[in-house]
Structure formats: structure tokens, C-alpha cells
């Protein structure tokens, strides 16, 4: 499903000096895998995830998603892919201010394949156990609840690929475990889940671990699923 | 950010409506004073005389014969109407006593002035020929002398001379200065000249032209004729003054359009300021909402979606501001109208342009901020 070849990403600082965040990285992720990306801070994990999520473009190398080479894609085409194929979950939730949980979940429908459908948004919230919180504002919800709203939002257009960048980084362990349970459920449904994390306990949910160091892929190994049923 | 648009639109609406209202009212008042538009007004004196002209404050140079000559010798002139007037003459009926303006006029006066009778008859050529002692009361005079309104046929005394009331004028309303034009009594000009004032000169001659388009030519013909009759040396100034209502109206119109140009300029500046305010506030809003933009982009919005969203928001906010501005503007217009005693004119054109402008402003000044919003880097905005 994901095919990254010799992929490089170089940022330019304000003063023009280049920062090589990713250097000739290659890997593949098959449909339905649950992969964690790990590595020290600044090793290029988020850069990688943003490129995989079509939110950013590589400066070299190729990225194929479902066999399609995306480097020639326009902003419109990439956005189209994001709207249908990708669900992002961020560390800091990014719920919109002065907006209810339900309205947050409805946002991707504006850009997705279907129409804005309140009932479907409500069903999405119920799925993450927040049917009763639909009309609460983000500020009225706990961190764990906010992240579950964000997951419902990421899922509303039914994307096959879930990209989560340290989704439990701002949560206590109980709330983190709830979020991980949902991600594992998504994996069981057949979705591909790519998870960036620092946390060993969180990483233990995955079947495979890709390790980055200084923008280079340091290791890529299958791991035993420690947290079974 | 609505305030800028609001103020701009508000002032535009007020200025436009009040401007329109003032223009119409001024036109009406001038028309009231000057009568029909195919006429030229001739007065004795070099034009320095201020205020209401009467027999006591004009040079005795414009004679009956001059008026007759203008009518007889100039083919451009269809007819002339004569006026000999005075103030401060007591008019009595029984114990009632007033002192309106006394207008000695020719039979065609009412016709040329475009005035109408409320009741009775106009002064006839026979009245003129026989020096009849008949009078027509102005609508302000009627209730003062005849509270019951039963004036027709009654005998009043104008400066001790008895006159029979023959008619009553319809109300004319205010002149350009705002004063009433109805405080007067009309009598035959011959009667006035021979029986009341004992003067052989006039205070005004109104010459009706055959072709109002050629008023300039007529004015110069009349000038030539009068200068010849008055034996005025080539180097000397006229001893009379001519006013053509057309010229006056043209001047009024010109003033009106100059005024509205200035007002439009002010409104435009207000709108530009409003637009600049929209733009800077939109830019602030864009930088405050970078996270929202990043999030929308991450769930599938493309640049065009974001661009459109922000442009529409600017137009919406601007038109809400515009609506409030229009509402305030209408309120302001009515207030100004009441203070200035003008009829409130709701200028539809002003409303349309105000509504259009506010949407347009939002669109125009929203484009750059919206473009900025569309080019926010979602990765940086989300700070992942
Ligand atoms: N927009 C950017 N401009 C310049 N440098 C950046 C930018 N984003 C990331 N970097 C740099 O690229 C490197 C990798 O960053 P990142 O992918 O965020 O790492 P991680 O997510 O593993 O912490 C870091 O050195 C970081 O400072
Ligand atoms: Mg990161």
C-alpha cells in the first residue's frame, strides 16, 4: 500500500541553511499492517508521516500510495487523496475552538466524497463512546475525550489509512489506553495504521517497528504482539 | 471588522439620500419662486439690490412702456407679465388688519407664474383696462382677514382704497430661503399704478419666450432694446438685471452635482478605509486561525476551498456591516431630513449601491487575506 523509495526531505531554515530531515529512506507497508515509527526527537518521524499523509511533499525519491506515484500530483489531487484515503490523528487533537464535538466531526464531510450528514457524524461519535458528548465544546471535554473526537473526525470519510503522530503524547495512561484500544480496533477492521510514538507501552500494540535515527531508517523489524486479547 | 464597512456604508447612504433630497427640494423651491422655465425675469437696477424688491427700493427706470416695447418689438418674446409691488400697506376688513405684500400684476401673471386659484376668478384684461378695484388673496392672507373663509365678493380696504375680493390663490409653499410665498394680495397692475401707488415704473417684468432653448439670444435682444430705450452709453453698465430661470437652474444643478461629487468622494474614502480595515482584520483572523486552516487542509481541503471560505467570510461580514450601515444610514437620513425640514428621500439607488459596495468591498479586500490563508503551510500550522 505504501511504497517509499530513497525518499529525502530537506527543509530550509529562515536563514536559508538546509536541514536534511530525511535521507534516502526506503520501506514498504502493506495494507492492513499496524506499524509504529519510533526514534529520538528530531529524527524525522513527523516529516515522514506528513509525506505519507500527502500533507507535505518529499524533496527527493518517490512515494507510491496504492501503486500511484504522487510526486506529480497537484494540490487539488493531493487534497483529494487526503479527503478519501487518509485519517490524521495529532498529538494536540486540534479540535476547533467554539465548535461542538459533533461539528468537529462534520468538518471532513465538507471535503469528502459524501454530503455533510449529521446522523452519520453522531454515529461516528457513538462509535468512540462519545454519543452523549455531541453538543459539548472541545474545552468542556477531557484530553482523552478530545482525542476520541479527533479520531471520530479522522474516520468520518472512512479512510483506509490512519496516521497517528504521538496520539497519546498529551494523555494520561488510562486515556492513552482507551485511544490505543480504538486504534487497535481500527486495525482489526482492516485499516492500515501507522503510529508515531515515544512510548514503549503504546508501541507494544504494533506488529512492526520502524526506527529512525538522524533522518535515516535505522531498523525495521517485526515484533511480537505483547498485548494480546 | 464590520465597523469600517458600517461607517462607510452608513455615510454613503446618508450622503446619497440627503444629497438627493436636498437637490429635489432646492429645485422645487426655485421653481416655486421663478415660475415656469421658459421665462426671463427683468428687474430695474444693476442687480445689487438685496432681499425682496419693491417700489420703495428700486430705481424708477423700468417703465410700462419698456415692457410694452419688449412684447411688441421682439419676435422672440411671446408675452410679458408686469409686476409693481409694495410692502407695508395696511389691508383691512372690518376689525381685521394685515399688511401683506401688494402685487399689482398683469392679467397673464398667474399663467406665467404657473400659480393656481383655489376659488373665484383671475384678474382679467377688462379689470386691467378699467382699472378695476378687485383683489386676489394669497392663501396666508385669507384666514387672517376671513377666518370663516367667506372672502369672495367682500370688500376689503387696501391703504384706504376699497377692493372687492375676486379670488383666492392656492397655496404655493416655501421659496428658496424657506419663507412663505403666500403672504400677498394681487390686484390689477394698472389699478396699482394709478389708484394706489401712483408710480409709472415696475419692479419686475417677466418675459415669456417662444423658444426657451434660445434664451441666450433673447436675453441679448432684450438687453439691446432696453439699453437703447434707456439711452445707456456703450461703456456704461445696464440699469436693469436679467435672470433666466434656466440659467439659475443650471447653476443649481451644477452646484448639486459638485456637491454630490464631493459627497461621493468622502464616501469613497470612508469605504476605502473600511476596506483597509477589513483587510487588516482579515489578515489578523487568518494568522489566528492557522491551526484551523491546517486542520481543514489535513482532512482534505485544497487551497481553493480555503480561499473560497475566507473570501465568502469577508463578503458575509462586510455585508452584515453594510446592512447595519444601511439601517443606520436610513435612520441618519431621516434625522437629517427632520432637522433640515426636508422630505425624507429613500434613495433606492443609494441602497443598491450601498449593498453592492459592501459585498464588493468584502470580496475585493478579502482576496489577499484569503490568498494568504490558502497558502498557509499545513505542516507548520499544525506544528507536528
Ligand atoms: N518546517 C521545518 N523547517 C525547518 N526544519 C524543520 C521543519 N520541520 C522539521 N524540521 C527539522 O527536521 C528534523 C526532523 O523533524 P521531525 O520530522 O519533526 O522529527 P520528529 O518528528 O522525529 O521529532 C528536525 O531537525 C527538525 O528541526
Ligand atoms: Mg514529531
Amino acid at each position: 500500500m505504501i511504497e517509499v523509495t530513497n525518499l529525502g526531505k530537506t527543509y530550509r531554515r529562515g536563514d536559508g541553511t538546509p536541514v536534511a530531515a530525511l535521507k534516502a529512506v526506503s520501506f514498504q507497508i502493506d495494507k492492513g499492517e499496524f506499524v509504529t515509527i519510533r526514534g529520538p526527537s528530531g529524527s524525522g518521524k513527523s516529516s515522514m508521516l506528513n509525506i505519507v499523509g500527502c500533507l507535505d511533499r518529499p524533496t527527493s525519491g518517490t512515494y507510491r500510495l496504492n501503486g500511484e506515484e504522487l510526486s506529480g500530483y497537484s494540490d487539488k489531487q493531493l487534497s483529494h487523496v487526503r479527503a478519501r484515503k487518509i485519517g490524521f490523528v495529532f498529538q494536540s487533537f486540534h479540535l476547533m475552538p467554539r465548535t461542538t464535538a459533533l461539528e468537529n466531526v462534520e468538518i471532513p464531510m465538507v471535503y469528502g466524497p459524501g454530503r455533510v450528514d449529521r446522523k452519520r457524524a453522531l454515529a461516528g461519535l457513538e462509535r468512540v463512546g462519545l454519543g452523549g458528548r455531541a453538543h459539548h465544546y472541545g474545552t468542556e471535554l477531557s484530553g482523552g475525550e478530545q482525542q476520541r473526537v479527533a479520531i471520530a473526525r479522522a474516520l468520518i470519510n472512512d479512510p483506509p489509512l490512519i496516521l497517528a503522530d504521538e496520539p497519546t503524547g498529551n494523555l494520561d495512561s488510562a486515556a492513552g489506553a482507551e485511544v490505543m484500544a480504538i486504534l487497535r480496533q481500527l486495525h482489526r477492521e482492516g485499516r492500515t495504521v501507522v503510529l508515531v510514538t515515544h512510548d514503549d507501552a503504546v508501541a507494544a500494540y504494533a506488529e512492526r517497528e520502524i526506527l529512525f535515527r538522524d533522518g535515516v531508517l535505522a531498523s525495521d523489524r517485526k515484533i511480537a504482539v505483547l498485548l494480546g486479547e | 471588522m464590520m465597523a469600517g464597512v458600517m461607517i462607510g456604508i452608513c455615510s454613503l447612504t446618508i450622503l446619497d439620500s440627503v444629497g438627493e433630497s436636498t437637490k429635489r427640494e432646492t429645485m422645487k423651491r426655485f421653481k416655486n419662486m421663478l415660475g415656469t422655465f421658459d421665462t426671463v425675469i427683468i428687474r430695474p437696477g444693476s442687480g445689487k439690490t438685496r432681499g425682496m424688491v419693491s417700489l420703495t427700493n428700486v430705481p424708477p427706470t423700468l417703465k410700462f412702456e419698456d415692457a410694452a416695447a419688449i412684447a411688441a418689438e421682439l419676435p422672440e418674446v411671446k408675452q410679458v407679465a408686469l409686476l409693481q409691488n409694495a410692502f407695508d400697506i395696511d389691508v383691512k376688513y372690518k376689525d381685521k388688519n394685515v399688511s401683506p405684500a401688494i402685487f399689482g400684476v398683469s392679467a397673464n401673471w398667474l399663467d406665467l407664474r404657473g400659480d393656481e386659484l383655489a376659488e373665484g376668478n383671475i384678474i382679467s384684461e377688462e379689470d386691467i383696462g378699467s382699472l378695476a378695484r378687485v383683489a386676489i388673496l394669497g392663501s396666508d392672507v385669507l384666514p387672517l382677514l376671513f377666518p370663516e373663509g367667506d372672502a369672495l365678493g367682500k370688500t376689503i380696504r387696501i391703504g384706504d382704497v376699497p377692493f372687492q375680493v375676486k379670488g383666492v390663490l392656492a397655496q404655493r409653499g416655501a421659496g428658496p430661503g424657506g419663507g412663505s410665498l403666500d403672504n400677498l394680495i394681487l390686484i390689477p397692475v394698472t389699478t396699482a399704478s394709478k389708484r394706489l401707488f401712483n408710480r409709472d415704473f415696475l419692479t419686475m417684468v417677466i418675459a415669456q419666450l417662444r423658444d426657451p432653448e434660445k434664451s441666450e439670444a433673447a436675453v441679448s435682444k432684450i438687453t439691446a432694446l432696453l439699453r437703447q430705450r434707456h439711452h445707456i452709453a456703450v461703456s456704461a453698465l445696464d440699469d436693469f438685471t436679467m435672470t433666466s430661470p434656466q440659467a439659475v437652474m443650471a447653476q443649481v444643478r451644477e452646484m448639486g452635482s459638485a456637491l454630490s461629487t464631493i459627497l461621493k468622494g468622502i464616501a469613497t474614502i470612508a469605504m476605502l478605509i473600511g476596506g483597509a480595515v477589513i483587510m487588516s482584520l482579515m489578515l489578523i483572523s487568518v494568522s489566528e486561525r492557522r491551526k484551523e486552516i491546517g486542520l481543514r487542509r489535513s482532512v482534505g481541503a485544497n487551497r481553493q476551498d480555503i480561499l473560497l471560505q475566507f473570501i465568502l467570510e469577508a463578503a458575509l461580514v462586510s455585508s452584515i456591516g453594510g446592512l447595519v450601515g444601511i439601517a443606520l444610514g436610513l435612520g441618519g437620513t431621516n434625522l437629517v431630513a427632520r432637522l433640515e425640514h426636508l422630505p425624507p428621500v429613500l434613495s433606492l439607488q443609494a441602497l443598491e449601491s450601498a449593498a453592492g459596495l459592501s459585498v464588493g468591498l468584502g470580496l475585493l479586500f478579502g482576496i489577499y487575506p484569503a490568498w494568504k490563508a490558502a497558502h498557509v503551510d499545513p505542516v507548520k500550522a499544525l506544528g507536528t
Side-chain angles (χ1 to χ4, degrees):
Chain A
M1 176 176 212
I2 293 169
E3 199 179 337
V4 170
T5 315
N6 284 328
L7 192 132
K9 177 72 185 176
T10 304
Y11 295 105
R12 294 218 166 260
R13 285 222 185 82
D15 60 7
T17 51
V19 183
L22 295 170
K23 302 163 199 162
V25 177
S26 301
F27 61 83
Q28 292 187 12
I29 294 174
D30 292 333
K31 188 176 183 304
E33 275 194 276
F34 193 147
V35 180
T36 59
I37 297 181
R38 306 189 68 193
S41 185
S43 58
K45 308 182 293 293
S46 295
S47 302
M48 191 72 236
L49 207 69
N50 289 331
I51 290 168
V52 169
C54 301
L55 206 53
D56 208 352
R57 295 166 188 272
T59 31
S60 62
T62 56
Y63 168 40
R64 285 170 184 277
L65 181 64
N66 298 320
E68 282 185 80
E69 157 63 34
L70 300 182
S71 52
Y73 270 34
S74 67
D75 169 66
K76 222 174 198 164
Q77 289 171 308
L78 288 177
S79 301
H80 191 264
V81 173
R82 284 198 303 277
R84 278 142 232 264
K85 304 281 184 229
I86 290 152
F88 271 108
V89 180
F90 304 99
Q91 178 174 358
S92 45
F93 325 136
H94 292 313
L95 295 194
M96 292 230 237
R98 294 178 295 280
T99 305
T100 63
L102 191 63
E103 289 162 349
N104 266 286
V105 174
E106 285 173 345
I107 292 168
M109 291 172 157
V110 175
Y111 310 106
R115 318 195 52 169
V116 175
D117 179 348
R118 184 141 284 210
K119 268 192 211 135
R120 210 150 57 74
L122 196 59
L125 276 177
E126 276 158 6
R127 223 185 130 183
V128 296
L130 290 176
R133 292 268 196 259
H135 299 290
H136 285 64
Y137 292 92
T139 46
E140 301 168 345
L141 302 174
S142 73
E145 288 171 331
Q146 289 185 54
Q147 192 60 300
R148 274 143 68 198
V149 172
I151 293 173
R153 182 177 63 192
L155 290 173
I156 202 66
N157 285 336
D158 197 22
L161 177 59
I162 304 294
L163 304 176
D165 196 344
E166 304 195 33
T168 60
N170 286 354
L171 303 178
D172 61 38
S173 54
E178 273 177 351
V179 165
M180 287 314 299
I182 295 170
L183 290 180
R184 192 161 50 159
Q185 177 59 32
L186 297 177
H187 170 232
R188 281 213 198 91
E189 289 167 7
R191 283 178 231 267
T192 312
V193 179
V194 180
L195 170 71
V196 171
T197 186
H198 273 117
D199 186 341
D200 290 339
V202 168
Y205 286 86
E207 318 160 309
R208 178 180 164 194
E209 179 190 87
I210 294 175
L211 192 68
F212 279 95
R213 190 162 290 131
D214 289 335
V216 184
L217 193 149
S219 80
D220 181 353
R221 60 190 177 104
K222 295 262 178 207
I223 51 173
V225 180
L226 300 176
L227 294 168
E229 295 311 277
Chain B
M1 77 163 109
M2 287 176 208
V5 186
M6 229 165 69
I7 293 163
I9 296 291
C10 173
S11 47
L12 182 88
T13 309
I14 294 180
L15 296 180
D16 240 25
S17 298
V18 171
E20 182 65 20
S21 173
T22 308
K23 211 168 14 176
R24 276 195 217 173
E25 188 63 14
T26 312
M27 292 282 202
K28 206 176 100 201
R29 287 184 186 177
F30 267 95
K31 199 159 189 281
N32 257 351
M33 184 183 72
L34 299 173
T36 51
F37 282 93
D38 55 353
T39 55
V40 173
I41 294 172
I42 308 154
R43 294 172 214 265
S46 57
K48 299 268 158 50
T49 322
R50 290 191 167 268
M52 278 298 264
V53 173
S54 86
L55 289 173
T56 54
N57 64 355
V58 297
T61 48
L62 190 62
K63 310 283 194 190
F64 279 82
E65 293 78 24
D66 291 328
I70 291 170
E73 294 174 26
L74 301 180
E76 290 83 356
V77 175
K78 200 157 139 196
Q79 57 175 333
V80 294
L82 316 183
L83 172 68
Q84 200 185 42
N85 66 341
F87 302 102
D88 302 323
I89 294 179
D90 281 346
V91 179
K92 289 181 202 133
Y93 176 72
K94 290 186 177 165
D95 57 332
K96 306 271 192 318
N97 199 332
V98 291
S99 51
I102 305 299
F103 274 37
V105 297
S106 50
N108 56 4
W109 177 263
L110 287 186
D111 189 30
L112 255 74
R113 285 259 332 133
D115 287 340
E116 281 173 15
L117 282 180
E119 54 178 333
N121 290 301
I122 61 166
I123 291 165
S124 65
E125 290 295 352
E126 276 165 35
D127 294 332
I128 298 287
S130 65
L131 278 61
R133 295 192 307 264
V134 292
I136 294 177
L137 306 185
S139 65
D140 283 359
V141 177
L142 176 69
L144 297 176
L145 289 181
F146 301 94
E148 316 279 324
D150 51 348
L152 287 190
K154 299 280 163 48
T155 301
I156 58 173
R157 290 184 160 271
I158 303 177
D160 284 338
V161 181
F163 280 79
Q164 193 178 38
V165 176
K166 196 183 180 192
V168 176
L169 284 174
Q171 193 174 353
R172 281 200 300 179
S180 171
L181 295 174
D182 295 310
N183 188 23
L184 83 174
I185 293 178
L186 304 183
I187 59 175
V189 67
T190 47
T191 316
S193 163
K194 301 239 166 65
R195 296 194 169 186
L196 204 58
F197 304 144
N198 199 23
R199 302 277 166 91
D200 66 344
F201 56 92
L202 298 162
T203 47
M204 189 193 283
V205 172
I206 301 178
Q208 186 179 34
L209 309 179
R210 279 187 208 286
D211 187 355
E213 300 291 306
K214 293 181 182 154
S215 67
E216 270 180 51
V219 164
S220 60
K221 280 268 190 101
I222 295 170
T223 304
L225 180 64
L226 286 177
R227 286 180 71 90
Q228 181 212 325
R229 290 183 58 86
H230 293 178
H231 309 293
I232 297 171
V234 177
S235 60
L237 295 172
D238 294 344
D239 64 352
F240 53 88
T241 311
M242 273 197 274
T243 321
S244 108
Q246 276 202 318
V248 172
M249 289 314 291
Q251 237 172 343
V252 170
R253 238 177 251 131
E254 211 170 277
M255 268 167 50
S257 74
L259 191 71
S260 57
T261 306
I262 292 168
L263 297 185
K264 290 226 172 79
I266 293 171
T268 307
I269 291 168
M271 302 294 277
L272 285 178
I273 293 171
V277 170
I278 292 183
M279 181 135 93
S280 61
L281 290 168
M282 280 288 292
L283 284 171
I284 292 171
S285 157
V286 167
S287 73
E288 276 173 355
R289 291 166 66 188
R290 283 167 53 82
K291 275 202 162 61
E292 173 192 335
I293 295 165
L295 187 273
R296 286 184 183 274
R297 298 273 281 141
S298 78
V299 299
N302 59 38
R303 288 204 184 103
Q304 212 179 311
D305 294 328
I306 302 294
L307 186 83
L308 219 65
Q309 179 192 342
F310 276 81
I311 286 180
L312 289 180
E313 280 184 23
L316 185 75
V317 166
S318 169
S319 27
I320 292 170
L323 280 180
V324 177
I326 287 173
L328 289 178
L330 289 181
T333 303
N334 276 322
L335 191 72
V336 173
R338 212 173 312 148
L339 292 177
E340 294 291 312
H341 303 291
L342 298 170
V345 171
L346 194 147
S347 158
L348 196 67
Q349 196 200 335
L351 289 191
E352 277 172 11
S353 56
L357 259 173
S358 47
V359 175
L361 271 181
L363 291 175
L364 187 67
F365 290 91
I367 284 176
Y368 176 64
W371 184 88
K372 279 277 216 189
H375 285 80
V376 164
D377 179 354
V379 172
K380 280 188 191 157
L382 292 167
T384 54

